[in-house]
């Protein structure tokens, strides 16, 4: 996982306000691992294929460690069993292990649903389907057809846990498109997952020892660089940096009629990031000047005047925070480094791991990037309040900021960064650089570098190393498909400045209650869609709840259920 075990919970706590329903307290992932996990795993050893590995994992896990996703799955199963076991006699739960394919509202406010095996009547419906694979786009379909015609392997966007990699033979070349979290999962599955091992060096770097079963992996994306590492966590339960620029007073200036310009949001967010960076830099280098610098920084009207302030206080240029270079590392490369791009990436990964090792409260860079994660509540306030214009939301926030946010703050644990550096130095993984061009040629997939003229790779496998886009109208999901076809649900759209309507891919729901909106944008009482299918109407619906932080998902879940009961009383 890419979140520390002490920072994930499915239970509410005292920070979650307001709460309509009863507060249901319970252990977070770490405290569960040190308490109820062992008897649950032991009691379910027939169901859990890897129960011995789980028992070993819960023994060694520490609060700031990152568990396997499989162990999180066991926590989910335990949570579900706990909820079911604690129900009062007046409530029953019947679980049907079949896909729902039809869900129709009736005139009397009830719902008719069908699986392929049975039909049902409901007073309320909560749809939380999570990720769905999508139908092939035209380009994906062409690549899949080419693979079929030339005995190649094409793996479309999907959860790596659901991908069959058995057709990828040792020594063959895999072109992996996407350098985010899924890329790291696939690299692990194709290297240490095939018997390779890592040994740790005195400087904490790693050396890879191949098994001989690995393919050659070429990793590409538009940016061309793997995601930044998650820093070594030093923050305690519920601990976050408070905003100093994106404050409540700042937000009072804006509403739906008085939009927040994206440029002003981005300016204030940069100031937040710089504040944390320089608070630590000054404490570690010029502690006696921090107080004066802090006051000057807090009084800045915008980030463009920051360089003058840094010069005034003698901050060396080489030690300044450069967000543009952070988001586009290629800007810092020499011609020789461009020609040896994979070596440059390996060096970058080593530096990134070293910065992440300094921690999320003491390392200036890592702590600064952690702010982006800590300020999710403020960013959600903008999205939920619809403070951006549609134009800014589509072209600035969705198409630009989300990529920056993912690259800088939603990366893997630093262990994975160290592993990737070792694999790159071992020649198992290589990188063509930004804007590489994918094509087909001579019965292979072909990848041409945009930074070194004439350099190319031919691959037997094209691996789409990313999750499917959250586009409900393209989802291979029988329930969403039939509800769209029957016009029970529709897609949330936004309008660009030229009047063009743009599909977000999200199911249109009421922002506050998550009730589905009908064709006139009126809520359909007690028909709810929650989570991933609403991505782009809500923001970052793929994260897990964080304890001690008044987490948005826990508030939202409480609000949905409260709405259901309120409607029953009407």
């Amino acid at each position: 996982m890419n979140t520390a075990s002490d920072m994930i919970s499915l239970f509410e706590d005292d920070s979650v306000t307001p709460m309509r329903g009863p507060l249901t307290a319970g252990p977070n992932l770490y405290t569960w691992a040190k308490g109820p996990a062992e008897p649950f795993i032991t009691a379910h050893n027939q169901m859990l294929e890897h129960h011995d590995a789980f028992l070993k994992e819960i023994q060694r896990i520490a609060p700031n460690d990152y568990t396997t996703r499989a162990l999180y799955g066991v926590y989910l199963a335990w949570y579900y069993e706990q909820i079911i076991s604690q129900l009062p006699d007046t409530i029953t739960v019947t679980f049907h292990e079949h896909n729902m394919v039809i869900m129709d509202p009736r005139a009397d406010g009830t719902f008719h649903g069908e699986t392929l095996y049975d039909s049902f009547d409901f007073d309320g419906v909560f749809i939380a389907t999570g990720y769905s694979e999508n139908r092939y786009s035209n380009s994906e379909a062409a690549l899949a057809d080419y693979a079929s015609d030339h005995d190649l392997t094409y793996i479309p966007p999907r959860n790596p846990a659901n991908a069959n990699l058995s057709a990828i033979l040792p020594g063959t070349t895999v072109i992996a498109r996407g350098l985010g979290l899924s890329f790291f999962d696939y690299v692990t599955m194709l290297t240490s997952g095939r018997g390779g091992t890592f040994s740790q060096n005195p400087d904490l770097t790693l050396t890879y020892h191949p098994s001989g079963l690995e393919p050659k992996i070429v990793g590409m994306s538009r940016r061309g660089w793997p995601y930044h590492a998650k820093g070594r966590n030093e923050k305690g339960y519920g601990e976050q940096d408070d905003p100093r620029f994106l404050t409540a007073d700042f937000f009072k200036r804006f509403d739906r009629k008085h939009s927040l310009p994206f440029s002003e949001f981005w300016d204030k967010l940069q100031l937040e990031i710089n504040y944390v960076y320089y608070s630590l830099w000054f404490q570690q280098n010029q502690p006696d000047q921090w107080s004066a610098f802090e006051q000057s920084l807090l009084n800045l009207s915008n980030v463009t005047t920051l360089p003058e302030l840094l010069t005034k206080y003698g901050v060396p240029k080489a030690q300044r925070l450069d967000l543009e270079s952070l988001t586009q590392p290629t800007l810092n490369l020499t011609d020789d480094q461009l020609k040896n791009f994979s070596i440059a990436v390996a060096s970058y990964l080593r530096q990134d791991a070293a910065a992440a090792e300094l921690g999320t409260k003491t390392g200036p860079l890592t702590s600064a990037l952690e702010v982006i994660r800590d300020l999710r509540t403020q960013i959600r306030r903008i999205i939920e309040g619809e403070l951006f214009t549609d134009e800014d939301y589509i072209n600035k926030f969705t198409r630009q900021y989300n990529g920056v946010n993912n690259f800088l703050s939603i990366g893997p644990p630093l262990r994975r960064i160290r592993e990737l550096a070792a694999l790159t130095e071992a020649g198992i993984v290589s990188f063509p650089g930004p804007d590489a061009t994918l094509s087909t040629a001579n019965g292979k997939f072909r990848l041409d570098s945009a930074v070194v003229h004439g350099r190319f790779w031919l691959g037997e496998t094209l691996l789409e190393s990313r999750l499917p886009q959250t586009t409900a109208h393209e989802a291979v999901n029988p329930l969403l498909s039939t509800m769209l076809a029957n016009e029970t649900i529709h897609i949330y759209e936004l309008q660009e400045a030229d009047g063009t309507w743009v599909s977000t891919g999200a199911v249109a729901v009421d922002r506050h209650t998550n009730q589905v909106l009908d064709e006139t944008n009126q809520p359909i009482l007690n028909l709810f869609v929650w989570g991933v299918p609403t991505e782009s109407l809500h923001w970052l619906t793929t994260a897990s709840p964080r304890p001690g932080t008044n987490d948005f998902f826990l508030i939202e879940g409480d609000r949905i259920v409260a709405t259901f009961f309120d409607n029953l009383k009407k």
Side-chain angles (χ1 to χ4, degrees):
M1 300 189 73
N2 72 326
T3 301
S5 62
D6 204 35
M7 289 191 170
I8 296 176
S9 180
L10 299 177
F11 294 95
E12 299 96 359
D13 52 53
D14 291 338
S15 73
V16 183
T17 55
M19 281 282 291
R20 287 280 302 279
L23 187 149
T24 307
N28 63 31
L29 181 55
Y30 169 72
T31 52
W32 168 81
K34 295 304 180 182
E38 184 173 0
F40 179 80
I41 293 169
T42 302
H44 293 76
N45 63 349
Q46 297 300 315
M47 179 185 77
L48 301 172
E49 179 183 355
H50 302 289
H51 62 276
D52 288 342
F54 293 136
L55 290 173
K56 291 179 181 178
E57 183 174 2
I58 62 174
Q59 291 300 317
R60 64 170 174 78
I61 202 73
N64 291 327
D65 288 343
Y66 298 83
T67 74
T68 60
R69 292 199 183 96
L71 185 65
Y72 186 36
V74 181
Y75 176 58
L76 294 170
W78 171 85
Y79 172 85
Y80 177 75
E81 190 172 284
Q82 284 293 111
I83 295 298
I84 298 302
S85 68
Q86 294 175 13
L87 292 176
D89 293 339
T90 53
I91 298 176
T92 60
V93 173
T94 305
F95 178 64
H96 297 270
E97 196 170 2
H98 301 292
N99 284 334
M100 189 69 68
V101 296
I102 291 176
M103 184 61 63
D104 291 327
R106 287 186 170 131
D108 64 357
T110 63
F111 301 89
H112 173 74
E114 295 182 11
T115 69
L116 295 178
Y117 304 93
D118 210 342
S119 62
F120 306 87
D121 294 318
F122 303 108
D123 294 302
V125 176
F126 304 84
I127 296 174
T129 52
Y131 272 111
S132 296
E133 291 191 24
N134 294 333
R135 290 183 287 273
Y136 284 164
S137 66
N138 291 337
S139 61
E140 290 168 349
L143 291 167
D145 288 343
Y146 184 85
S148 178
D149 292 342
H150 294 85
D151 197 26
L152 304 175
T153 300
Y154 176 71
I155 299 175
R158 60 179 38 152
N159 190 317
N162 298 331
N164 183 356
L165 306 182
S166 61
I168 300 176
L169 300 178
T172 60
T173 298
V174 175
I175 297 172
R177 187 156 62 165
L179 297 179
L181 294 178
S182 291
F183 172 75
F184 285 89
D185 287 347
Y186 280 121
V187 166
T188 299
M189 295 161 71
L190 292 170
T191 55
S192 56
R194 291 190 168 189
T197 59
F198 295 91
S199 59
Q200 184 167 296
N201 305 312
D203 62 356
L204 299 181
T205 62
L206 302 176
T207 298
Y208 184 67
H209 308 281
S211 68
L213 299 178
E214 304 88 349
K216 300 290 186 181
I217 303 169
V218 186
M220 66 171 291
S221 71
R222 278 173 292 187
R223 182 177 279 108
W225 297 82
Y227 280 16
H228 271 279
K230 273 289 181 67
R232 179 177 58 83
N233 183 56
E234 297 177 299
K235 292 182 176 178
Y237 175 86
E239 189 175 0
Q240 293 180 296
D241 275 297
D242 294 324
R244 294 168 178 85
F245 300 91
L246 291 169
T247 61
D249 285 341
F250 171 77
F251 284 117
K252 287 178 182 178
R253 297 162 45 198
F254 308 102
D255 55 33
R256 294 184 186 183
K257 293 181 180 180
H258 305 88
S259 298
L260 166 63
F262 177 84
S263 58
E264 190 166 353
F265 155 73
W266 178 233
D267 186 85
K268 291 294 184 284
L269 182 59
Q270 289 182 82
L271 287 171
E272 297 279 10
I273 296 168
N274 277 279
Y275 179 93
V276 172
Y277 178 87
Y278 289 109
S279 70
L280 292 167
W281 188 91
F282 272 90
Q283 290 170 33
Q284 296 168 14
N285 294 278
Q286 301 175 17
D288 57 320
Q289 295 194 56
W290 166 242
S291 180
F293 179 87
E294 178 189 26
Q295 192 58 50
S296 297
L297 178 58
L298 291 173
N299 288 330
L300 285 185
S301 58
N302 59 72
V303 77
T304 59
T305 56
L306 179 59
E308 299 175 15
L309 187 62
L310 297 173
T311 299
K312 175 182 176 181
Y313 282 86
V315 180
K317 288 187 177 181
Q319 297 181 39
R320 296 181 185 182
L321 181 64
D322 184 347
L323 279 173
E324 184 179 13
S325 295
L326 275 176
T327 56
Q328 299 292 343
T330 308
L331 296 173
N332 293 328
L333 298 187
T334 65
D335 288 342
D336 285 342
Q337 288 172 320
L338 286 173
K339 291 176 183 177
N340 299 281
F341 195 84
S342 291
I343 295 175
V345 172
S347 175
Y348 160 86
L349 292 167
R350 297 281 194 211
Q351 295 172 29
D352 189 44
E357 180 64 40
L358 295 177
T360 59
K361 290 175 65 176
T362 53
L365 176 60
T366 296
S367 300
L369 297 184
E370 182 76 3
V371 171
I372 302 174
R373 183 167 175 260
D374 284 353
L375 295 180
R376 286 176 180 175
T377 296
Q378 282 67 37
I379 296 173
R380 283 199 176 94
R381 180 171 181 172
I382 297 170
I383 305 308
E384 296 303 315
E386 299 179 84
L387 301 187
F388 289 141
T389 63
D390 285 3
E391 176 79 12
D392 269 358
Y393 184 73
I394 296 166
N395 293 309
K396 299 294 185 180
F397 186 82
T398 301
R399 294 175 180 168
Q400 295 181 27
Y401 175 75
N402 275 342
V404 171
N405 173 69
N406 294 344
F407 181 66
L408 296 180
S409 73
I410 309 185
L414 67 91
R415 167 79 187 191
R416 291 289 188 235
I417 295 292
R418 288 185 174 131
E419 290 174 354
L420 185 58
L423 289 164
T424 304
E425 291 179 340
I428 303 296
V429 180
S430 57
F431 299 90
D435 300 318
T437 303
L438 179 68
S439 61
T440 55
N442 301 320
K444 304 283 187 181
F445 297 111
R446 174 169 172 147
L447 185 63
D448 285 86
S449 171
V451 297
V452 180
H453 180 70
R455 182 173 295 172
F456 68 91
W457 292 259
L458 296 175
E460 292 79 16
T461 297
L462 176 58
L463 175 59
E464 305 282 19
S465 47
R466 61 189 189 278
L467 292 173
Q469 286 188 307
T470 52
T471 49
H473 57 295
E474 299 294 343
V476 182
N477 180 300
L479 179 59
L480 295 180
S481 297
T482 56
M483 293 181 76
L484 280 165
N486 295 339
E487 298 184 347
T488 305
I489 61 176
H490 67 277
I491 301 300
Y492 176 59
E493 294 184 330
L494 296 170
Q495 194 170 30
E496 295 200 75
D498 63 1
T500 303
W501 286 95
V502 177
S503 170
T504 66
V507 175
V509 298
D510 181 277
R511 283 192 179 277
H512 186 72
T513 68
N514 274 51
Q515 291 176 120
V516 168
L517 298 179
D518 64 18
E519 66 277 4
T520 66
N521 284 325
Q522 295 302 306
I524 300 175
L525 299 186
N526 290 337
L527 177 59
F528 302 86
V529 175
W530 191 19
V532 176
T534 67
E535 180 67 34
S536 289
L537 185 147
H538 295 308
W539 180 67
L540 207 61
T541 59
T542 57
S544 295
R546 183 174 177 179
T549 62
N550 196 21
D551 190 89
F552 174 79
F553 298 112
L554 299 176
I555 296 171
E556 189 180 32
D558 176 72
R559 187 191 302 146
I560 289 171
V561 177
T563 301
F564 171 69
F565 284 114
D566 287 344
N567 290 342
L568 290 182
K569 297 173 185 177
K570 291 178 180 178

